[in-house]
PDB file of all heavy atoms in Angstrom:
ATOM      1  N   GLU A  66     106.236  34.915 -27.645  1.00  0.00           N
ATOM      2  CA  GLU A  66     106.826  34.204 -28.779  1.00  0.00           C
ATOM      3  C   GLU A  66     105.757  33.302 -29.401  1.00  0.00           C
ATOM      4  O   GLU A  66     104.872  32.799 -28.706  1.00  0.00           O
ATOM      5  CB  GLU A  66     108.009  33.345 -28.323  1.00  0.00           C
ATOM      6  CG  GLU A  66     109.158  34.140 -27.746  1.00  0.00           C
ATOM      7  CD  GLU A  66     110.222  33.262 -27.117  1.00  0.00           C
ATOM      8  OE1 GLU A  66     110.002  32.030 -27.023  1.00  0.00           O
ATOM      9  OE2 GLU A  66     111.259  33.807 -26.693  1.00  0.00           O
ATOM     10  N   ALA A  67     105.849  33.121 -30.683  1.00  0.00           N
ATOM     11  CA  ALA A  67     104.900  32.232 -31.375  1.00  0.00           C
ATOM     12  C   ALA A  67     105.293  30.778 -31.124  1.00  0.00           C
ATOM     13  O   ALA A  67     106.415  30.366 -31.456  1.00  0.00           O
ATOM     14  CB  ALA A  67     104.889  32.512 -32.866  1.00  0.00           C
ATOM     15  N   PRO A  68     104.407  29.977 -30.515  1.00  0.00           N
ATOM     16  CA  PRO A  68     104.747  28.569 -30.266  1.00  0.00           C
ATOM     17  C   PRO A  68     104.843  27.780 -31.566  1.00  0.00           C
ATOM     18  O   PRO A  68     104.267  28.171 -32.598  1.00  0.00           O
ATOM     19  CB  PRO A  68     103.582  28.073 -29.403  1.00  0.00           C
ATOM     20  CG  PRO A  68     102.458  29.009 -29.675  1.00  0.00           C
ATOM     21  CD  PRO A  68     103.070  30.337 -30.014  1.00  0.00           C
ATOM     22  N   ALA A  69     105.584  26.694 -31.499  1.00  0.00           N
ATOM     23  CA  ALA A  69     105.764  25.841 -32.680  1.00  0.00           C
ATOM     24  C   ALA A  69     105.981  24.401 -32.227  1.00  0.00           C
ATOM     25  O   ALA A  69     106.501  24.150 -31.129  1.00  0.00           O
ATOM     26  CB  ALA A  69     106.940  26.314 -33.517  1.00  0.00           C
ATOM     27  N   PHE A  70     105.570  23.471 -33.068  1.00  0.00           N
ATOM     28  CA  PHE A  70     105.876  22.061 -32.833  1.00  0.00           C
ATOM     29  C   PHE A  70     107.126  21.706 -33.622  1.00  0.00           C
ATOM     30  O   PHE A  70     107.268  22.102 -34.790  1.00  0.00           O
ATOM     31  CB  PHE A  70     104.723  21.162 -33.297  1.00  0.00           C
ATOM     32  CG  PHE A  70     103.467  21.296 -32.491  1.00  0.00           C
ATOM     33  CD1 PHE A  70     102.296  21.768 -33.076  1.00  0.00           C
ATOM     34  CD2 PHE A  70     103.441  20.951 -31.151  1.00  0.00           C
ATOM     35  CE1 PHE A  70     101.133  21.887 -32.344  1.00  0.00           C
ATOM     36  CE2 PHE A  70     102.278  21.073 -30.399  1.00  0.00           C
ATOM     37  CZ  PHE A  70     101.123  21.535 -30.993  1.00  0.00           C
ATOM     38  N   THR A  71     108.026  20.970 -32.993  1.00  0.00           N
ATOM     39  CA  THR A  71     109.226  20.496 -33.682  1.00  0.00           C
ATOM     40  C   THR A  71     109.092  18.998 -33.894  1.00  0.00           C
ATOM     41  O   THR A  71     108.975  18.232 -32.934  1.00  0.00           O
ATOM     42  CB  THR A  71     110.492  20.798 -32.855  1.00  0.00           C
ATOM     43  OG1 THR A  71     110.554  22.207 -32.592  1.00  0.00           O
ATOM     44  CG2 THR A  71     111.739  20.369 -33.603  1.00  0.00           C
ATOM     45  N   ILE A  72     109.090  18.592 -35.153  1.00  0.00           N
ATOM     46  CA  ILE A  72     108.806  17.199 -35.500  1.00  0.00           C
ATOM     47  C   ILE A  72     109.914  16.648 -36.387  1.00  0.00           C
ATOM     48  O   ILE A  72     110.439  17.346 -37.262  1.00  0.00           O
ATOM     49  CB  ILE A  72     107.445  17.103 -36.231  1.00  0.00           C
ATOM     50  CG1 ILE A  72     106.313  17.567 -35.311  1.00  0.00           C
ATOM     51  CG2 ILE A  72     107.168  15.693 -36.734  1.00  0.00           C
ATOM     52  CD1 ILE A  72     104.950  17.608 -35.966  1.00  0.00           C
ATOM     53  N   ASP A  73     110.273  15.383 -36.149  1.00  0.00           N
ATOM     54  CA  ASP A  73     111.255  14.720 -37.006  1.00  0.00           C
ATOM     55  C   ASP A  73     110.757  14.700 -38.446  1.00  0.00           C
ATOM     56  O   ASP A  73     109.568  14.472 -38.696  1.00  0.00           O
ATOM     57  CB  ASP A  73     111.486  13.279 -36.546  1.00  0.00           C
ATOM     58  CG  ASP A  73     112.133  13.192 -35.167  1.00  0.00           C
ATOM     59  OD1 ASP A  73     112.743  14.187 -34.750  1.00  0.00           O
ATOM     60  OD2 ASP A  73     112.012  12.138 -34.521  1.00  0.00           O
ATOM     61  N   ASN A  74     111.670  14.935 -39.370  1.00  0.00           N
ATOM     62  CA  ASN A  74     111.317  14.911 -40.791  1.00  0.00           C
ATOM     63  C   ASN A  74     111.237  13.460 -41.269  1.00  0.00           C
ATOM     64  O   ASN A  74     112.257  12.791 -41.445  1.00  0.00           O
ATOM     65  CB  ASN A  74     112.358  15.688 -41.599  1.00  0.00           C
ATOM     66  CG  ASN A  74     111.952  15.864 -43.050  1.00  0.00           C
ATOM     67  OD1 ASN A  74     111.011  15.246 -43.514  1.00  0.00           O
ATOM     68  ND2 ASN A  74     112.668  16.718 -43.763  1.00  0.00           N
ATOM     69  N   ARG A  75     110.011  12.974 -41.483  1.00  0.00           N
ATOM     70  CA  ARG A  75     109.803  11.569 -41.861  1.00  0.00           C
ATOM     71  C   ARG A  75     109.806  11.354 -43.370  1.00  0.00           C
ATOM     72  O   ARG A  75     109.505  10.258 -43.824  1.00  0.00           O
ATOM     73  CB  ARG A  75     108.461  11.064 -41.292  1.00  0.00           C
ATOM     74  CG  ARG A  75     108.386  11.083 -39.785  1.00  0.00           C
ATOM     75  CD  ARG A  75     107.111  10.401 -39.279  1.00  0.00           C
ATOM     76  NE  ARG A  75     105.906  11.133 -39.647  1.00  0.00           N
ATOM     77  CZ  ARG A  75     104.903  10.623 -40.363  1.00  0.00           C
ATOM     78  NH1 ARG A  75     104.980   9.391 -40.826  1.00  0.00           N
ATOM     79  NH2 ARG A  75     103.829  11.341 -40.638  1.00  0.00           N
ATOM     80  N   SER A  76     110.117  12.386 -44.121  1.00  0.00           N
ATOM     81  CA  SER A  76     110.035  12.267 -45.584  1.00  0.00           C
ATOM     82  C   SER A  76     111.387  12.473 -46.266  1.00  0.00           C
ATOM     83  O   SER A  76     111.445  12.795 -47.447  1.00  0.00           O
ATOM     84  CB  SER A  76     109.021  13.275 -46.135  1.00  0.00           C
ATOM     85  OG  SER A  76     109.394  14.601 -45.792  1.00  0.00           O
ATOM     86  N   SER A  77     112.463  12.267 -45.534  1.00  0.00           N
ATOM     87  CA  SER A  77     113.796  12.450 -46.112  1.00  0.00           C
ATOM     88  C   SER A  77     114.663  11.215 -45.877  1.00  0.00           C
ATOM     89  O   SER A  77     114.785  10.732 -44.746  1.00  0.00           O
ATOM     90  CB  SER A  77     114.480  13.676 -45.485  1.00  0.00           C
ATOM     91  OG  SER A  77     115.830  13.752 -45.878  1.00  0.00           O
ATOM     92  N   TRP A  78     115.257  10.709 -46.955  1.00  0.00           N
ATOM     93  CA  TRP A  78     116.158   9.562 -46.824  1.00  0.00           C
ATOM     94  C   TRP A  78     117.395   9.907 -46.008  1.00  0.00           C
ATOM     95  O   TRP A  78     118.068   9.004 -45.478  1.00  0.00           O
ATOM     96  CB  TRP A  78     116.566   9.058 -48.212  1.00  0.00           C
ATOM     97  CG  TRP A  78     115.519   8.212 -48.869  1.00  0.00           C
ATOM     98  CD1 TRP A  78     114.686   8.582 -49.886  1.00  0.00           C
ATOM     99  CD2 TRP A  78     115.162   6.864 -48.553  1.00  0.00           C
ATOM    100  NE1 TRP A  78     113.830   7.544 -50.218  1.00  0.00           N
ATOM    101  CE2 TRP A  78     114.109   6.478 -49.421  1.00  0.00           C
ATOM    102  CE3 TRP A  78     115.633   5.938 -47.618  1.00  0.00           C
ATOM    103  CZ2 TRP A  78     113.523   5.209 -49.373  1.00  0.00           C
ATOM    104  CZ3 TRP A  78     115.044   4.671 -47.578  1.00  0.00           C
ATOM    105  CH2 TRP A  78     114.005   4.324 -48.440  1.00  0.00           C
ATOM    106  N   GLU A  79     117.706  11.192 -45.866  1.00  0.00           N
ATOM    107  CA  GLU A  79     118.858  11.602 -45.053  1.00  0.00           C
ATOM    108  C   GLU A  79     118.667  11.205 -43.592  1.00  0.00           C
ATOM    109  O   GLU A  79     119.648  11.070 -42.850  1.00  0.00           O
ATOM    110  CB  GLU A  79     119.061  13.116 -45.159  1.00  0.00           C
ATOM    111  CG  GLU A  79     119.474  13.599 -46.543  1.00  0.00           C
ATOM    112  CD  GLU A  79     119.610  15.111 -46.606  1.00  0.00           C
ATOM    113  OE1 GLU A  79     119.374  15.768 -45.574  1.00  0.00           O
ATOM    114  OE2 GLU A  79     119.928  15.622 -47.689  1.00  0.00           O
ATOM    115  N   ASN A  80     117.418  11.065 -43.179  1.00  0.00           N
ATOM    116  CA  ASN A  80     117.127  10.723 -41.783  1.00  0.00           C
ATOM    117  C   ASN A  80     116.974   9.227 -41.551  1.00  0.00           C
ATOM    118  O   ASN A  80     116.589   8.806 -40.455  1.00  0.00           O
ATOM    119  CB  ASN A  80     115.847  11.430 -41.323  1.00  0.00           C
ATOM    120  CG  ASN A  80     116.048  12.925 -41.164  1.00  0.00           C
ATOM    121  OD1 ASN A  80     117.169  13.381 -40.961  1.00  0.00           O
ATOM    122  ND2 ASN A  80     114.972  13.689 -41.265  1.00  0.00           N
ATOM    123  N   ILE A  81     117.253   8.431 -42.581  1.00  0.00           N
ATOM    124  CA  ILE A  81     117.031   6.990 -42.497  1.00  0.00           C
ATOM    125  C   ILE A  81     118.356   6.245 -42.549  1.00  0.00           C
ATOM    126  O   ILE A  81     119.238   6.567 -43.354  1.00  0.00           O
ATOM    127  CB  ILE A  81     116.140   6.505 -43.671  1.00  0.00           C
ATOM    128  CG1 ILE A  81     114.840   7.309 -43.738  1.00  0.00           C
ATOM    129  CG2 ILE A  81     115.858   5.011 -43.536  1.00  0.00           C
ATOM    130  CD1 ILE A  81     113.957   7.211 -42.531  1.00  0.00           C
ATOM    131  N   LYS A  82     118.490   5.262 -41.685  1.00  0.00           N
ATOM    132  CA  LYS A  82     119.625   4.348 -41.773  1.00  0.00           C
ATOM    133  C   LYS A  82     119.078   2.931 -41.944  1.00  0.00           C
ATOM    134  O   LYS A  82     117.932   2.638 -41.595  1.00  0.00           O
ATOM    135  CB  LYS A  82     120.516   4.432 -40.530  1.00  0.00           C
ATOM    136  CG  LYS A  82     119.870   3.939 -39.242  1.00  0.00           C
ATOM    137  CD  LYS A  82     120.865   3.969 -38.088  1.00  0.00           C
ATOM    138  CE  LYS A  82     120.220   3.474 -36.783  1.00  0.00           C
ATOM    139  NZ  LYS A  82     121.194   3.448 -35.668  1.00  0.00           N
ATOM    140  N   PHE A  83     119.913   2.061 -42.499  1.00  0.00           N
ATOM    141  CA  PHE A  83     119.484   0.693 -42.748  1.00  0.00           C
ATOM    142  C   PHE A  83     120.349  -0.284 -41.976  1.00  0.00           C
ATOM    143  O   PHE A  83     121.572  -0.188 -41.985  1.00  0.00           O
ATOM    144  CB  PHE A  83     119.552   0.359 -44.236  1.00  0.00           C
ATOM    145  CG  PHE A  83     119.352  -1.105 -44.526  1.00  0.00           C
ATOM    146  CD1 PHE A  83     118.087  -1.678 -44.397  1.00  0.00           C
ATOM    147  CD2 PHE A  83     120.414  -1.910 -44.899  1.00  0.00           C
ATOM    148  CE1 PHE A  83     117.902  -3.031 -44.642  1.00  0.00           C
ATOM    149  CE2 PHE A  83     120.232  -3.263 -45.152  1.00  0.00           C
ATOM    150  CZ  PHE A  83     118.968  -3.815 -45.023  1.00  0.00           C
ATOM    151  N   GLU A  84     119.688  -1.215 -41.295  1.00  0.00           N
ATOM    152  CA  GLU A  84     120.365  -2.340 -40.656  1.00  0.00           C
ATOM    153  C   GLU A  84     119.677  -3.604 -41.119  1.00  0.00           C
ATOM    154  O   GLU A  84     118.446  -3.705 -41.058  1.00  0.00           O
ATOM    155  CB  GLU A  84     120.296  -2.230 -39.124  1.00  0.00           C
ATOM    156  CG  GLU A  84     121.189  -1.155 -38.532  1.00  0.00           C
ATOM    157  CD  GLU A  84     121.151  -1.161 -37.004  1.00  0.00           C
ATOM    158  OE1 GLU A  84     120.826  -2.221 -36.434  1.00  0.00           O
ATOM    159  OE2 GLU A  84     121.433  -0.120 -36.404  1.00  0.00           O
ATOM    160  N   ASP A  85     120.457  -4.569 -41.568  1.00  0.00           N
ATOM    161  CA  ASP A  85     119.885  -5.796 -42.129  1.00  0.00           C
ATOM    162  C   ASP A  85     118.989  -6.512 -41.127  1.00  0.00           C
ATOM    163  O   ASP A  85     118.008  -7.171 -41.497  1.00  0.00           O
ATOM    164  CB  ASP A  85     121.020  -6.726 -42.575  1.00  0.00           C
ATOM    165  CG  ASP A  85     120.506  -7.882 -43.410  1.00  0.00           C
ATOM    166  OD1 ASP A  85     119.453  -7.719 -44.045  1.00  0.00           O
ATOM    167  OD2 ASP A  85     121.146  -8.943 -43.414  1.00  0.00           O
ATOM    168  N   SER A  86     119.291  -6.386 -39.830  1.00  0.00           N
ATOM    169  CA  SER A  86     118.530  -7.096 -38.802  1.00  0.00           C
ATOM    170  C   SER A  86     117.258  -6.365 -38.383  1.00  0.00           C
ATOM    171  O   SER A  86     116.429  -6.919 -37.661  1.00  0.00           O
ATOM    172  CB  SER A  86     119.407  -7.328 -37.560  1.00  0.00           C
ATOM    173  OG  SER A  86     119.826  -6.078 -37.023  1.00  0.00           O
ATOM    174  N   VAL A  87     117.112  -5.118 -38.823  1.00  0.00           N
ATOM    175  CA  VAL A  87     115.954  -4.310 -38.416  1.00  0.00           C
ATOM    176  C   VAL A  87     115.185  -3.785 -39.618  1.00  0.00           C
ATOM    177  O   VAL A  87     113.958  -3.846 -39.683  1.00  0.00           O
ATOM    178  CB  VAL A  87     116.380  -3.113 -37.529  1.00  0.00           C
ATOM    179  CG1 VAL A  87     115.165  -2.279 -37.133  1.00  0.00           C
ATOM    180  CG2 VAL A  87     117.128  -3.596 -36.300  1.00  0.00           C
TER     181      VAL A  87
END
Side-chain angles (χ1 to χ4, degrees):
E66 297 171 354
F70 292 117
T71 303
I72 297 176
D73 294 339
N74 188 349
R75 298 188 294 122
S76 59
S77 171
W78 281 105
E79 294 178 0
N80 289 336
I81 306 299
K82 67 176 180 178
F83 170 73
E84 287 184 24
D85 191 26
S86 61
V87 179

